[in-house]
Amino acid sequence: MSDLEKTPADATHAMVRAERVHKSYGLVEVLKGIDLEVKQGEVFVLVGPSGSGKSTFLRCINHLEKINAGRLYVDGDLVGYRQKGEKLYELKDSEVALQRRDIGMVFQHFNLFPHMTALENVIEAPVQVKGETKAAAKERGMALLERVGLSAKAGSYPSQLSGGQQQRVAIARALAMQPKLMLFDEPTSALDPELVGEVLDVMRGLAEEGMTMVVVTHEMGFAREVGDALVFMDGGVVVESGDPREVLSNPQHERTKLFLSKVL
């Protein structure tokens, strides 16, 4: 881990702050110095072609992937490391787990426990990780399922739910930990087209409630309508960024123009 300068004083002013973030797999450099900032309460959208580094960067935010250089902060705290003097020390697994409790993540492929009902999936982490009573977790779990429009499916297993319903359960499960930040990794890309809307509606609701969200998506309509900031990535770098409506309607970079000509 390089770039061992001191924590910047303004790192606490953003929910997510990336400074010259690099990530490599062997000789393949996937992230080549990412700098960006996500403000509290902001819906921050990452777009770009497959292989551009979007999902890798998202996974670095909660230390599912370890960065090779640079710094990543969530709510002012260095992710995955502790700094003493000029040196960085990797946190223990238990300390990383504590950081992740505040960061909800929704994956492309739901990742629900197949042997648990929708409600059991939602309450598992609060009971096992936070030590909540089952009664309290069930009460809040039912409220969360109602929030995503699935209170009637509380006793259903994942195999009995549509893809859109499973993804909404996955969102409820992430919210059950009462996170301050939600990460969405292409949450609709595995869904049939007619099921996409029901998931995006739930995400719109979260945005209206002020949840800080970082969303990797190909849904440009959602980005334009709900996003507060947009970054176009390609080849492991930020090519262009700005207000989603401005970038999507009037891109400045030729690479952005080419990409959008194929997806809009």
Side-chain angles (χ1 to χ4, degrees):
M1 189 81 182
S2 61
D3 295 341
L4 301 184
E5 71 284 356
K6 305 243 180 190
T7 303
D10 60 346
T12 57
H13 295 176
M15 182 58 75
V16 178
R17 184 180 180 92
E19 298 183 338
R20 298 179 300 285
V21 169
H22 290 256
K23 172 65 183 176
S24 298
Y25 297 100
L27 297 176
V28 180
E29 193 175 17
V30 179
L31 300 176
K32 302 174 183 177
I34 301 296
D35 289 289
L36 57 80
E37 185 175 290
V38 181
K39 297 180 177 66
Q40 187 168 357
E42 194 169 53
V43 178
F44 194 96
V45 184
L46 294 171
V47 302
S50 296
S52 59
K54 309 180 304 294
S55 292
T56 297
F57 176 72
L58 200 72
R59 292 169 66 86
C60 288
I61 293 175
N62 62 0
H63 208 57
L64 286 175
E65 298 287 355
K66 300 176 183 180
I67 65 177
N68 299 113
R71 292 286 173 43
L72 256 174
Y73 303 88
V74 170
D75 203 17
D77 293 327
L78 195 59
V79 173
Y81 296 89
R82 177 186 297 108
Q83 182 162 340
K84 288 187 177 180
E86 292 298 306
K87 290 189 176 181
L88 289 183
Y89 298 90
E90 189 167 2
L91 297 179
K92 298 175 184 175
D93 289 346
S94 59
E95 294 172 308
V96 172
L98 278 175
Q99 287 188 329
R100 286 200 189 117
R101 283 168 50 157
D102 293 326
I103 305 172
M105 186 156 186
V106 177
F107 299 88
Q108 182 176 345
H109 297 289
F110 330 135
N111 292 357
L112 298 177
F113 296 115
H115 62 289
M116 293 184 179
T117 65
L119 180 59
E120 288 169 343
N121 266 282
V122 172
I123 70 171
E124 177 72 4
V127 171
Q128 298 298 329
V129 178
K130 282 192 166 182
E132 288 186 17
T133 66
K134 270 201 171 180
K138 279 185 176 180
E139 184 177 349
R140 198 152 47 80
M142 283 302 300
L144 286 169
L145 287 175
E146 185 171 354
R147 184 176 176 183
V148 300
L150 289 174
S151 56
K153 298 290 186 180
S156 299
Y157 290 90
S159 62
Q160 299 169 313
L161 301 174
S162 71
Q165 289 170 334
Q166 290 185 62
Q167 193 61 295
R168 284 185 282 155
V169 172
I171 293 172
R173 178 180 62 180
L175 292 173
M177 291 294 283
Q178 299 175 293
K180 56 190 174 187
L181 169 66
M182 285 283 285
L183 309 177
F184 292 86
D185 189 6
E186 298 190 28
T188 60
S189 62
L191 301 179
D192 292 333
E194 66 268 22
L195 302 177
V196 168
E198 62 190 49
V199 173
L200 294 181
D201 284 344
V202 171
M203 294 171 66
R204 284 188 189 93
L206 289 176
E208 289 168 4
E209 294 166 16
M211 174 64 74
T212 309
M213 301 158 63
V214 183
V215 184
V216 172
T217 186
H218 295 294
E219 299 291 337
M220 298 302 160
F222 174 85
R224 181 186 287 109
E225 177 192 347
V226 184
D228 297 303
L230 180 145
V231 158
F232 171 67
M233 288 179 63
D234 189 33
V237 300
V238 172
V239 176
E240 189 166 343
S241 63
D243 179 277
R245 288 149 290 280
E246 180 64 25
V247 174
L248 295 176
S249 63
N250 188 30
Q252 300 301 300
H253 197 284
E254 288 302 319
R255 183 64 187 92
T256 316
K257 292 177 184 178
L258 179 62
F259 173 77
L260 293 177
S261 72
K262 295 178 179 178
V263 299
L264 289 177

